[in-house]
Amino acid sequence: MALFLFLILVAVILGLIGVAAHGLFYLLVIGVVVFVADLVLFGARWSRRRHHVVR
């Protein structure tokens, strides 16, 4: 969970820098890619946990 929150923070910071600094639009794109990848990884981990049957 800490890795998920850290990657969200990195994506937000890269996005803010990409929007604020002229000519650094690629940082916004990288921030969006990191955010989407983080959501995909979180979804994959969450779906794996739901398949375990507890008796």
Side-chain angles (χ1 to χ4, degrees), residues 35-46:
F35 181 73
V36 170
D38 188 34
L39 290 179
V40 168
L41 289 174
F42 182 72
R45 292 180 85 190
W46 189 51

Side-chain angles (χ1 to χ4, degrees), residues 6-54:
F6 175 72
L7 288 176
I8 293 288
L9 183 65
V10 168
V12 168
I13 290 171
L14 285 175
L16 288 175
I17 292 172
V19 169
H22 298 291
L24 294 178
F25 181 72
Y26 66 92
L27 286 179
L28 176 62
V29 173
I30 292 171
V32 170
V33 169
V34 168
F35 181 73
V36 170
D38 188 34
L39 290 179
V40 168
L41 289 174
F42 182 72
R45 292 180 85 190
W46 189 51
S47 68
R48 269 192 274 153
R49 288 183 183 173
R50 294 190 76 181
H51 292 300
H52 295 291
V53 176
V54 178

